Amino acid sequence: MATVEPHRVRAGRGTELLLLVLALAIGVGAYALVGLGTSDEVPPDVLGYGAGLAALAVALHLVLRWRAPYADPVILPATVALNGIGLAMIYRIDFAYELRDKANGFAGRQLMWTAIAVGLAAIVLVVLRDHRTLRRFTYTAMVVALGLLALPLMPVIGRSINGARIWVYFGGVGMQPAEFAKLALAVFFAGYLVTHRDTLALAGSKFLGLQLPRARDLGPILVVWACSIAVLVLEKDLGTSLLIFGLFVAMLYLATERVSWVVIGLLMFVGGAMVAATAFAHVGARFDVWLHALDPEIFDRAPGGSGQLVRGLFGMASGGLFGTGWGDGRPDLVPYAESDFIVASLGEELGLTGLLAILMLYAVLTQRGMRAAIGVRDGFGKLLAGGLAFVVAWQCFVVVGGVTRLIPLTGLTTPFLAYGGSSLLANWIIVALLLRISNDARRPAPAARGLRPDEPLPDDLLDDVPDEPDDAVPVRVSARGEHPVGAEPDEHPTERIGRLS
Amino acid sequence: MNTPLRRVATVMLVMFLALMGSATWVQYVQAPDLNADSRNVRTLYREYGNARGPIVVAGEAIAQSVKVDDPFGYQRQYTDGELYSAVTGFYSIVNGSSQLEHAANDQLTGRSDQLFFSRLRDIITGRKPEGAAVETTLLAAAQRAAREGLGDQHGAVVAIEPSTGRILAMVSTPGFDPNALATHDSAAASAVYAELAAADGNPLRSNATLETYPPGSTFKLVTAAAALESGEYDASTTLPAPVTLDLPQTTATIGNFGGGGCGSNPITLADALRVSCNTAFAQLGMDVGDDALREQAERFGFDDASLTIPMRVVASRFPQDPNAPQTAQSAIGQFDVAATPLQMAMVSAAIANDGKLMRPYVVDRVRAANLSVVSQTEPEQLSTAVSPGTAAQLTDMMVGVVESGSGTAAKISGVQVAGKTGTAQTSSEAAPHAWFTAFAPADDPQVAVAVLVEHGGSAGSEATGGRVAAPIARAVIQAVLGS
């Protein structure tokens, strides 16, 4: 039986404020440097810009102090830094577009979306007092997710841009529903899997050393697989398809700890993708582009050639180790430099050094998300936090891997950096949820708030085993040690709380 | 489920490590290859991104960069591109650049050291750097006259202001349209380049400065100059002028054009030049010797591989250590003597300028984007080709050529023109090259010109320098004097 050390837990809000100052310095400094690099003067509105960005960050910081005082102190600053770097780059690309009379003004809109997204994150933190509430909406989330995924296929509002049908327009405002779908899917998967993990983890026959699941349990994975393949085929969107499926496989593994699910999932996806690659020219073209990007024939092919990818590589190569500096490169030469290819833009102007730093920020951000998942006590929270942290990392991997030619290129936005309202809103909500869950993970147990070490732990610390009906919130069991077969008992959460301090 | 969480967290770290690896691969390991890739036109893009300066003829831009809505930002546009192609060259993303676009690139892009202060000011004031305007010495009227004169014939015309070396006209035919090469449609530009590179007459290579031809009888000016400079000859010195000259050491002979005599035998040096007497000049060449001929030729600018105007000019040649018969042939501009049309214009220009050879140049001024003049080419003497006395005698002799000799087609009423024809054999089958080099007015030279029409042009084997090339020279001289 775990004991609780009566430590005073450090909430970390002070640390957060300190890190926020650093993150804002990065964002506002980058903005000033863009001005110096492009027009040799510090932008006249740099103070206003800095104040605005600081106000947003501090507002969220205050919301955390008020509603989630034990939230992880690194998540918010890392996000603010990424968002700030993205804004500066978009501002810089705007400048290049303006110089060449191309459509611009992305930075202003991105700033507006940032404000809205931060506001939304604050609302999530205020309204959602306990993340377990979300479990009630497991199937609602499923319906919402499917609806969002199907939305671009609707006539009138759905629109095909560059071959992929991933946009919907409401009165001139475009959005990518897939960004929100990933959020809803994470909620659905967490809710579904936490209930069915035992069944799914039941052993079937053994094959090549892999414990295969029972055939009848393949149902849900087939459904998700069908959905992601449908996205691939109907919306021609390899990125979203990959994103959804990766998220599902990861969460399936988190819930069941069965490697066989991962293997089966990957095989199914690779199989489906290969069939799609042969059946649909545009998917096959992606693979050609990936494997033979530098071939002159494929470079010049239009549409569907490797021109964009290779131009991105050229840009990054010209950036070298230390980059050209803000405003001194030509990131605008790469199509979609402000959104899908913002990583190439950053690589060009900030160099390998800058790009590695940005990747480190992502790594830190997502690892803190995983830390929250490990720390939180309920299975739903673990799955949700793990899934959300994973999906951010996975999205980075798919995008940055595509741009650096590690994997085939797919059209996804880089979280927080890339231009796009949907992406910003969805990812800030993810951050809000991670903050909310991390608050639970790091909140001292009641014991630490005055319980004697020898006193039995109250029930609400032990709501870890989720084998109750879906709608029972919060989920509780009366005692430890009664885990059903297949479900791994949690390590001693209360001990960890002690160690955290 | 903390064990799978930890494992997934590890997988996520591995994913980021893989991304860092691939970023390092692109930006460090592969970067040199990517930067060297011919399709990586970022250097060019950078130049396009800053407005490239115009090339200007008399206040009008003949090449300029205009803003366009494509990744390059600016499109190079040429006005009368074909007319000026031998001067401007081309500026192409896929094919590079040539001629002035190449030679004056630093000024046009604004990166020249001459523009240092203007660059510094740009940095301080925060203006986007802009390329400087390159103002040429060309005269549009002379350029047009030269181009019209050549018509469909392959050849070249160069006109120089003798007192300064300013190049007033420089045309090479066939020319090309640089716009077709400057297009940002790389496939189209490559196709046009391949077509031009394979085309008859090599349009991309300027005949005026980058090709050499046997100068034929126009080289007699050099031979005559060498004789006069030796002090042992003057215009009235008589020379033997047989119908055919037996060359020593061989069975070969040299005959006169048309196979006849030179009107008299012996003949004065002046008359020998006037009627372009081969036998007299071949003998004269052997008499003054190959060393004197080469030295004289070099003082006119032969064998100088370093000349730039600012475009590179190939060196004209006088053979090393010819034997006596080779010297005889060289003296009349045959054998291995080879000259660019620019070189032959320089010969006339030096004679016209009292024997002083001025460095030819095509860039008059470089003007920064703020219209301040950053450099002005000052005329510079390359050498003293001949003494003023020799120059005066040669001038009189050349006037005779146009008044009553082989170059009467260049006569202009009211203006005394001094000239020399040339009809250069290339092989027994091909028609000879037609040459004419001249300057005018003889007493106050304003323009020296050289015209070359390859293989006689439209006149074919009937061509002579006097018939085919002289009228073009006349038109150019009239255009210069009339303007």
Side-chain angles (χ1 to χ4, degrees):
Chain A
M1 193 68 210
T3 54
V4 174
E5 302 161 29
H7 266 258
R8 221 187 119 250
V9 173
R10 221 182 279 165
R13 296 274 72 77
T15 313
E16 181 179 76
L17 196 58
L18 212 65
L19 289 174
L20 269 181
V21 171
L22 201 63
L24 286 167
I26 292 173
V28 179
Y31 183 78
L33 285 173
V34 166
L36 281 173
T38 50
S39 46
D40 292 308
E41 59 186 6
V42 174
D45 59 345
V46 71
L47 288 180
Y49 176 83
L53 219 53
L56 286 175
V58 170
L60 208 52
H61 169 75
L62 291 176
V63 168
L64 285 176
R65 278 189 185 268
W66 174 36
R67 279 297 165 91
Y70 293 97
D72 189 294
V74 181
I75 292 179
L76 180 61
T79 312
V80 168
L82 286 168
N83 203 149
I85 292 169
L87 273 168
M89 193 69 222
I90 293 166
Y91 171 67
R92 183 259 170 279
I93 291 169
D94 260 349
F95 189 88
Y97 285 165
E98 191 187 349
L99 201 69
R100 290 167 187 85
D101 295 334
K102 297 208 301 196
N104 55 62
F106 293 110
R109 271 170 278 162
Q110 182 80 344
L111 191 58
M112 179 193 82
W113 284 117
T114 302
I116 295 175
V118 170
L120 209 57
I123 291 171
V124 168
L125 281 166
V126 171
V127 172
L128 188 71
R129 302 293 298 272
D130 187 334
H131 62 271
R132 286 168 295 192
T133 317
L134 288 174
R135 197 175 165 188
R136 276 190 220 145
F137 302 107
T138 299
Y139 289 97
T140 318
M142 179 195 73
V143 174
V144 168
L146 291 180
L148 285 169
L149 284 178
L151 217 49
L153 295 174
M154 299 293 159
V156 186
I157 56 165
R159 198 152 323 159
S160 271
I161 291 179
N162 298 318
R165 199 174 171 94
I166 53 175
W167 286 89
V168 292
Y169 278 84
F170 295 105
V173 181
M175 63 169 244
Q176 285 180 303
E179 289 286 344
F180 299 100
K182 79 182 175 200
L183 197 58
L185 279 175
V187 174
F188 163 61
F189 291 158
Y192 176 84
L193 291 171
V194 86
T195 312
H196 297 279
R197 52 192 286 213
D198 312 334
T199 340
L200 291 168
L202 278 181
S205 51
K206 230 177 158 167
F207 178 72
L208 289 175
L210 278 178
Q211 198 81 47
L212 294 183
R214 295 182 306 176
R216 68 174 105 145
D217 297 327
L218 279 172
I221 193 173
L222 280 175
V223 171
V224 179
W225 175 78
C227 278
S228 55
I229 294 295
V231 167
L232 181 63
V233 171
L234 298 174
E235 303 180 2
K236 308 187 198 316
D237 185 6
L238 189 59
T240 305
S241 170
L242 203 59
L243 191 68
I244 296 170
F245 206 69
L247 173 65
F248 181 64
V249 169
M251 290 183 73
L252 200 55
Y253 173 74
L254 286 179
T256 64
E257 212 179 329
R258 289 248 173 271
V259 179
S260 56
W261 280 117
V262 178
V263 174
I264 291 171
L266 287 180
L267 286 178
M268 283 172 75
F269 189 80
V270 169
M274 276 169 67
V275 170
T278 33
F280 305 102
H282 72 275
V283 181
R286 295 269 168 140
F287 282 88
D288 274 356
V289 161
W290 176 49
L291 293 171
H292 313 288
L294 292 166
D295 275 12
E297 185 204 338
I298 290 183
F299 179 81
D300 289 329
R301 188 194 292 165
S306 63
Q308 181 188 29
L309 173 64
V310 173
R311 286 196 184 98
L313 294 178
F314 285 161
M316 293 176 68
S318 82
L321 286 182
F322 301 107
T324 59
W326 288 107
D328 289 336
R330 284 296 305 273
D332 58 300
L333 295 175
V334 186
Y336 295 96
E338 78 286 357
S339 57
D340 289 17
F341 269 71
I342 196 158
V343 169
S345 309
L346 289 163
E348 177 174 0
E349 299 218 320
L350 304 185
L352 180 62
T353 323
L355 194 51
L356 292 187
I358 289 168
L359 289 173
M360 280 305 295
L361 274 176
Y362 277 119
V364 166
L365 172 65
T366 52
Q367 289 298 314
R368 297 306 288 208
M370 291 310 273
R371 196 73 197 73
I374 290 169
V376 79
R377 276 145 284 196
D378 67 301
F380 175 77
K382 279 181 183 299
L383 272 176
L384 185 58
L388 291 176
F390 178 82
V391 82
V392 173
W394 180 237
Q395 189 160 349
C396 283
F397 180 75
V398 171
V399 186
V400 183
V403 171
T404 57
R405 218 175 144 217
L406 184 63
I407 56 169
L409 179 66
T410 54
L412 278 181
T413 56
T414 325
F416 307 110
L417 289 178
Y419 172 75
S422 316
S423 170
L424 266 187
L425 293 183
N427 285 308
W428 268 103
I429 293 174
I430 287 179
V431 162
L433 291 176
L434 287 176
L435 284 168
R436 164 56 64 214
I437 295 170
S438 73
N439 181 57
D440 254 33
R442 299 175 77 251
R443 187 178 54 204
R449 288 181 249 126
L451 227 62
R452 282 196 317 278
D454 53 351
E455 210 173 344
L457 283 173
D459 280 354
D460 69 333
L461 273 182
L462 302 167
D463 52 359
D464 161 70
V465 182
D467 53 354
E468 295 208 349
D470 305 336
D471 51 353
V473 175
V475 188
R476 295 176 182 178
V477 292
S478 51
R480 288 192 150 270
E482 291 179 12
H483 299 289
V485 186
E488 182 222 4
D490 246 319
E491 291 151 288
H492 320 283
T494 43
E495 261 185 9
R496 216 175 19 263
I497 289 165
R499 269 193 261 126
L500 263 179
S501 54
Chain B
M1 59 186 93
N2 283 348
T3 313
L5 277 170
R6 288 213 169 83
R7 285 191 190 136
V8 168
T10 310
V11 167
M12 281 157 57
L13 275 182
V14 169
M15 283 177 353
F16 281 110
L17 281 176
L19 290 181
M20 291 176 181
S22 69
T24 308
W25 181 257
V26 172
Q27 297 202 255
Y28 183 67
V29 182
Q30 242 193 342
D33 287 346
L34 287 169
N35 283 326
D37 193 296
S38 62
R39 288 160 298 179
N40 188 352
V41 283
R42 262 187 155 67
T43 337
L44 279 178
Y45 285 169
R46 234 169 263 145
E47 291 175 10
Y48 273 80
N50 297 337
R52 187 178 175 82
I55 298 174
V56 176
V57 171
E60 302 285 327
I62 54 169
Q64 59 185 331
S65 290
V66 294
K67 244 185 191 185
V68 289
D69 180 24
D70 73 6
F72 299 87
Y74 290 92
Q75 167 73 58
R76 199 69 168 156
Q77 267 182 10
Y78 298 86
T79 311
D80 287 329
E82 198 266 353
L83 176 63
Y84 292 105
S85 58
V87 177
T88 59
F90 56 84
Y91 185 69
S92 162
I93 295 153
V94 279
N95 304 307
S97 57
S98 72
Q99 297 295 74
L100 203 49
E101 290 278 27
H102 182 75
N105 189 50
D106 282 354
Q107 285 85 3
L108 290 169
T109 54
R111 276 184 314 203
S112 159
D113 289 341
Q114 296 169 335
L115 295 165
F116 176 77
F117 287 105
S118 131
R119 264 188 357 220
L120 198 65
R121 200 202 45 240
D122 286 347
I123 289 169
I124 293 165
T125 59
R127 271 165 34 122
K128 281 302 279 186
E130 274 180 70
V134 170
E135 298 181 359
T136 66
T137 54
L138 297 179
L139 277 182
Q143 187 80 4
R144 273 181 216 286
R147 181 67 194 86
E148 279 161 26
L150 283 168
D152 294 337
Q153 307 172 106
H154 292 187
V157 174
V158 177
I160 300 177
E161 186 174 74
S163 58
T164 56
R166 291 167 68 94
I167 293 175
L168 304 175
M170 189 155 79
V171 173
S172 166
T173 52
F176 61 93
D177 179 9
N179 287 311
L181 290 164
T183 174
H184 294 172
D185 178 346
S186 55
S190 297
V192 170
Y193 186 87
E195 193 184 310
L196 286 171
D200 188 28
N202 201 352
L204 294 176
R205 216 175 141 78
S206 168
N207 293 335
T209 51
L210 297 175
E211 295 287 352
T212 57
Y213 303 85
S217 300
T218 53
F219 192 75
K220 285 171 185 161
L221 291 171
V222 179
T223 307
L228 293 170
E229 286 287 277
S230 72
E232 294 166 26
Y233 299 83
D234 61 29
S236 56
T237 308
T238 55
L239 307 166
V243 173
T244 56
L245 179 69
D246 290 325
L247 294 177
Q249 304 160 26
T250 70
T251 56
T253 57
I254 282 179
N256 290 310
F257 186 77
C262 295
S264 68
N265 184 10
I267 191 170
T268 64
L269 178 57
D271 280 343
L273 190 82
R274 186 173 59 77
V275 300
S276 201
C277 181
N278 285 347
T279 52
F281 267 93
Q283 185 62 52
L284 179 63
M286 289 190 286
D287 292 347
V288 300
D290 63 294
D291 288 338
L293 287 178
R294 186 177 317 100
E295 197 204 321
Q296 183 59 62
E298 285 174 1
R299 284 199 279 164
F300 276 117
F302 278 71
D303 291 322
D304 177 8
S306 65
L307 181 66
T308 55
I309 61 169
M311 301 89 95
R312 191 176 65 88
V313 178
V314 300
S316 299
R317 295 186 308 275
F318 186 86
Q320 292 293 324
D321 293 322
N323 59 25
Q326 289 167 345
T327 304
Q329 287 186 310
S330 299
I332 58 168
Q334 298 288 161
F335 184 55
D336 280 349
V337 181
T340 59
L342 173 68
Q343 174 61 66
M344 294 324 290
M346 285 160 70
V347 170
S348 280
I351 295 168
N353 193 36
D354 295 330
K356 292 195 289 288
L357 177 64
M358 304 304 289
R359 173 187 287 281
Y361 62 94
V362 81
V363 174
D364 181 21
R365 265 189 300 238
V366 176
R367 223 184 254 280
N370 65 357
L371 301 181
S372 68
V373 174
V374 289
S375 77
Q376 163 94 47
T377 309
E378 294 299 330
E380 177 196 347
Q381 188 175 341
L382 265 185
S383 69
T384 301
V386 290
S387 65
T390 302
Q393 289 192 69
L394 283 170
T395 302
D396 288 343
M397 287 155 69
M398 287 170 76
V399 168
V401 170
V402 176
E403 290 291 314
S404 58
S406 56
T408 50
K411 249 193 248 182
I412 301 169
S413 69
V415 179
Q416 205 170 38
V417 178
K420 180 69 194 88
T421 58
T423 307
Q425 304 292 337
T426 49
S427 68
S428 48
E429 301 90 51
H433 294 319
W435 280 94
F436 192 74
T437 182
F439 60 88
D443 53 349
D444 176 26
Q446 302 297 311
V447 54
V449 60
V451 176
L452 162 82
V453 180
E454 282 182 19
H455 299 301
S458 45
S461 58
E462 294 300 306
T464 62
R467 244 174 83 182
V468 176
I472 301 173
R474 184 185 57 198
V476 174
I477 289 168
Q478 280 178 316
V480 173
L481 297 182
S483 64

